[in-house]
Structures are given as C-alpha cells and as structure tokens.
Amino acid sequence: MDDIIIVGAGIGGLTLGLVLHSRGIACRIFESAAEIRPIGVGINLLPHATKELAALGLEPALAQVAIATADAAFFNRFGQLIYREPLGRAAGYEHPQFSIHRGDLQMILLDAFRARAGHDRLITHHHCIGVEQDEAGVNVHFSDGPGGARSSTVRGRVAIACDGINSAIRKQFFPDGGEPRYSGVNMWRGVTRWKPMLSGASMVRAGWLSHGKMVIYPIREVSGADGLQLINWVAEIETATYRKRDWNRTGSIEDFIGAFADWHFDWLDVPSFIRAADSVLEFPMVDQDPLPRWSFGRVTLLGDAAHPMVPRGSNGAGQAILDARALASALFETGDPVAALAAYEKQRLEATTRVVLTNRTNPPDAILREVFQRTNDRPFKAIDDIISRDELVALSEGYKRIAGYSQEALYSQQALRK
Ligand SMILES: Cc1cc2nc3c(=O)[nH]c(=O)nc-3n(C[C@H](O)[C@H](O)[C@H](O)COP(=O)(O)OP(=O)(O)OC[C@H]3O[C@@H](n4cnc5c(N)ncnc54)[C@H](O)[C@@H]3O)c2cc1C
C-alpha cells in the first residue's frame, strides 16, 4: 500500500527501482511483457548517466559487457575525416562513455534490482491501462498483456509511468497528444560481427541524412571469434513514407543499401559490412512535442513516457537515468509525495525539453550538416578551408552543455553536492 508503483521495467523504470531501493524507499515494478528479454540493439551511455550507474555500484558489471567508447569521428560520404575528438575517460571525464547492447544494459539493471529488492518486487505480465488517485494514494489498473481480458488493480502511494514512448498513462493525461511525430528520417539498424575499426572504440558518424548517413560503433567484444566485435550500426535516410514504430520490425537491406553502394573506405567497406549483419530492423525516427507538465498529484511521467526524443544525441536512455535519480532524490528529501513529484518536474522538464528540441535541430551530427552544405556535397581538399577547428569544437561542446554532460556541468554539480 505504501509502495511506489513503477509502471514499466525498461531502462528508466529499473534504474528508478534501484535508486529508490538504495534510498530505503519501497517500490514495486509492473511490466507489460510476460518475460523480460534482452531486446534492442545499441545504446550509448554518456558520462552523466554512467556516473549515476556507478553510484549504484554497476560500473564493473557494465564494463564487462560494454565498450568504453574512446573517440568520436565524423566523416563525409567520401570517407574524408572532418573531425575527431576523445570521449569519456579518454577525454578526461571521471566516468566512461559506454556503448552497450540495450539488452545487456536492461539485464544488468534487472538482475541488480531482483538481487537487491527481491524477485517479488518485479511483476511481469501486467499491462497498465489506467490510473486513479485520491487523497491517500493511487489505484493502478492492469490487464494481462495488451488487450488482455483479465484485469487487476494495485494500490500504492505514488505511480510513476516509465512505460516508454507509447505510455498508457501519458495518453490518459494527454488524450489528444496524438501519435509520435515522424522526423522525416527512416532508420535501419543492425549489428555485424566485424574486426575492430579505427581505434576499436570509435563512434563514427558519416554522410548526411538527405543522401544517407551512417552511425557505427562497437558494443561488445565477441569472445573466441578472432578478435571480432559486435558492431552496432544505424543507416538514417530522409524518406517520405514510414511504418509505425515496432521495435521488432524486420527491415530489408535492399531498401537502403543503394545509398551506401560506393562507400568503400580504407577504414571500412560499408556495403560488405552491412551485408554481413546478423539481422536488420527498421523503424522511423520519431519523437513528441515537449509536454507542458508531467506531474498530476500522485502520478508522474519519466523517461520516454515523458520526453521521447529522436536518437541523434545518444541521450534517450541517459536522460531516463537522470530522471530516475532526480525523482528518487525528490521523494527521499520531501515527505509530501505530491510536492516531491512537482519538484522533480521542476528540475527535469525544462532540461529535457531543451534536449528534445536540440536533438531536432543541432545534435552532434550538425557537424555533418555544416560540411555537407558548405561543400555542396563534394569532397574537400582540406577541412580547414571549409570549417575551422574552433567552429567544430563549438558545435560539439554546445550540445554537451545542453544535454548536461559538459565537463563543467558535471564538475560544478559535483562541487555543489560536496
Ligand atoms: C523493446 C525495446 C527495444 C528498444 N531498442 C532500442 C534500441 O535498439 N536502441 C535504442 O537507442 N533504443 C531502444 N529502445 C528505447 C530505449 O530503451 C529508450 O528510449 C530509453 O532507454 C528510455 O527508456 P524508458 O525506460 O523510458 O523506456 P523503454 O526502455 O522503452 O521501456 C519501457 C518499458 O515499459 C514497458 N511497457 C510499455 N507499455 C506498458 C504498459 N502499458 N504497462 C506496463 N509496462 C509497459 C515496456 O515493455 C518496456 O519494458 C528500445 C525500447 C524497447 C521497449
């Protein structure tokens, strides 16, 4: 009855469960899926997020399965290097940047939550269909899976919607919110077992959305397989039509490989690399307009349920982790749950709104757009003729400040907490 009810055992819900447990606050997590399986492909955790996971004692487990990303490299579609900069610890951060399979991350969070809070604290096969509240608590209603016939109600102190981009609770509070907004860019994603490229821990962005852009980074060492890595890639192309997002929709290589047919670089033969993929998934790049509020009395939204964003800043999972930390702190510090949820919204809504909007216009790949436009999509003789190093650094650092992971932002937060 006094439990915090968390709806959804994704990255945000599980992190919230772990932080609440570490603060001695009882919670239960209810997940729609009958069984939590390691679904998805690559995800990045930037230093502001790994800092929070390290505080939960999870860095060693993450380091075992993830790649500590060491540098970002930007190329045009002719394979010419535009800009390279160190990342994570290689850039002097106290915490690493991890590139990781989403499934590995989710399983580490899940195992830690079950081991620490207890197996009975995570209840699967509970699909949230709505929530009601009164002065003393919340009643959260569930069915046994989407469209399920059997229903049940759980009573708690507070309800937190961590149920992702299609959040049922978000729809309850914003019934006219509509479907996720298509950005005009379609994505094909996959993983390929391949030998390490560049530094072996590089995050590559190449090309531009109008003609085809690739994001490529390793997410796991493949044991006993001739030093191969599991390498995550995303092909992003401006496309008029799209199909509704489904994390499991299989894509066809022939639908997009033409855009990369002549990408034969000395550091990677892109067509061969794509054709060697284990499997290909297709989904549209979508987000939603920022909401005016998340907290309604004893109910609030977190992660993608609150602020779905286009994945151009490697930030969706990270922002959910930051939300979890902020919300748990507010609940810990404030006796009144309604005041705590309002304080959490105050701390996080404006900050994430800036990230959602900047991801649309000026995420890190704005570097690629600038060079694409200034060169008229032609090879250059020397990058300094096109754009100065200072401009490139400014584009990169500007995004870090907005997303909250510039070195100054992290260090000043630390100074404040001391
Ligand atoms: C299956 C899946 C695969 C993904 N793959 C990728 C990927 O490859 N790359 C990438 O960058 N991002 C991926 N994402 C998105 C990414 O995980 C999130 O953007 C980010 O981590 C924010 O996390 P979140 O906890 O807010 O939402 P999510 O991680 O989306 O978690 C939401 C959770 O809520 C559950 N849920 C949904 N509806 C209900 C309901 N009504 N009642 C109860 N539970 C519900 C879902 O099953 C899920 O476990 C994926 C998400 C999912 C669900």
Side-chain angles (χ1 to χ4, degrees):
M1 158 62 204
D2 269 350
D3 288 348
I4 307 277
I5 306 297
I6 299 173
V7 176
I11 310 306
L14 288 167
T15 306
L16 178 63
L18 281 162
V19 191
L20 287 173
H21 177 75
S22 74
R23 297 293 185 104
I25 301 174
C27 63
R28 273 180 295 164
I29 306 180
F30 292 85
E31 162 62 38
S32 171
E35 185 196 345
I36 299 177
R37 290 181 297 117
I39 302 178
V41 270
I43 246 177
N44 258 270
L45 296 172
L46 307 177
H48 54 356
T50 55
K51 179 179 165 193
E52 302 302 344
L53 297 178
L56 289 167
L58 297 176
E59 189 181 317
L62 293 167
Q64 270 203 343
V65 293
I67 299 285
T69 309
D71 59 289
F74 296 78
F75 295 88
N76 64 9
R77 73 182 174 99
F78 310 103
Q80 294 180 290
L81 181 67
I82 294 169
Y83 178 61
R84 197 159 179 179
E85 66 173 11
L87 294 176
R89 287 217 166 99
Y93 283 91
E94 208 176 299
H95 297 95
Q97 174 165 337
F98 281 136
S99 297
I100 188 168
H101 193 290
R102 179 188 178 275
D104 286 343
L105 171 61
Q106 195 180 17
M107 289 301 135
I108 286 172
L109 297 171
L110 177 70
D111 290 348
F113 180 78
R114 282 187 166 146
R116 295 174 190 185
H119 276 250
D120 60 336
R121 294 266 140 193
L122 195 153
I123 302 100
T124 55
H125 217 195
H126 275 63
H127 183 80
C128 180
I129 48 177
V131 59
E132 290 169 308
Q133 59 183 304
D134 52 45
E135 299 264 294
V138 293
N139 290 322
V140 189
H141 304 296
F142 295 96
S143 64
D144 53 342
R150 249 179 342 115
S151 60
S152 56
T153 296
V154 175
R155 178 86 178 155
R157 188 153 62 102
V158 159
I160 317 295
C162 305
D163 49 347
I165 189 163
N166 295 312
S167 168
I169 295 180
R170 174 188 174 121
K171 284 193 185 116
Q172 177 180 332
F173 288 108
F174 297 96
D176 303 323
E179 288 299 306
R181 167 191 165 281
Y182 180 51
S183 65
V185 175
N186 208 39
M187 298 189 289
W188 289 265
R189 308 194 61 158
V191 287
T192 301
R193 280 152 223 274
W194 204 259
K195 54 187 183 307
M197 66 187 72
L198 300 173
S199 72
S202 299
M203 174 154 195
V204 172
R205 296 178 177 90
W208 180 240
L209 299 168
S210 52
H211 290 63
K213 179 189 146 200
M214 287 288 290
V215 182
I216 307 170
Y217 54 87
I219 52 173
R220 203 192 277 162
E221 306 290 349
V222 180
S223 60
D226 304 331
L228 297 187
Q229 292 178 318
L230 194 65
I231 301 189
N232 180 82
W233 54 264
V234 192
E236 304 173 359
I237 309 179
E238 285 176 2
T239 311
T241 57
Y242 70 100
R243 295 186 289 168
K244 192 178 173 214
R245 170 132 108 190
D246 170 351
W247 291 113
N248 294 313
R249 188 189 304 289
T250 309
S252 162
I253 285 181
E254 301 315 320
D255 286 346
F256 68 95
I257 198 159
F260 308 100
D262 52 359
W263 286 35
H264 306 290
F265 308 140
D266 55 2
W267 48 274
L268 182 66
D269 187 82
V270 174
S272 314
F273 172 75
I274 291 173
R275 288 202 184 279
D278 286 0
S279 61
V280 177
L281 299 170
E282 173 186 343
F283 31 83
M285 195 184 270
V286 294
D287 68 2
Q288 255 171 346
D289 286 332
L291 294 172
R293 59 186 288 199
W294 301 341
S295 297
F296 298 83
R298 290 172 176 268
V299 184
T300 196
L301 313 175
L302 183 150
D304 278 7
H307 47 67
M309 55 185 69
V310 292
R312 284 171 61 190
S314 318
N315 237 318
Q319 294 297 330
I321 290 166
L322 299 193
D323 289 350
R325 156 68 191 238
L327 178 54
S329 295
L331 285 163
F332 182 73
E333 284 156 15
T334 316
D336 171 11
V338 175
L341 269 47
Y344 152 73
E345 176 186 302
K346 189 156 189 288
Q347 191 185 340
R348 294 293 300 153
L349 190 143
E350 205 185 306
T352 53
T353 293
R354 280 199 298 272
V355 183
V356 170
L357 298 179
T358 308
N359 277 15
R360 288 181 184 174
T361 53
N362 265 333
D365 68 15
I367 285 176
L368 300 177
R369 181 193 59 215
E370 283 305 305
V371 173
F372 173 84
Q373 288 173 345
R374 293 184 195 193
T375 57
N376 272 328
D377 190 29
R378 298 250 162 71
F380 52 77
K381 282 207 182 76
I383 188 62
D384 294 342
D385 301 340
I386 310 299
I387 188 165
S388 71
R389 174 93 195 162
D390 286 351
E391 273 184 277
L392 291 165
V393 171
L395 282 167
S396 176
E397 292 301 317
Y399 184 76
K400 289 176 194 163
R401 272 194 296 279
I402 284 166
Y405 69 102
S406 64
Q407 302 236 18
E408 310 88 80
L410 286 180
Y411 292 142
S412 64
Q413 275 172 23
Q414 250 168 17
L416 284 175
R417 276 186 201 162
K418 273 181 189 157

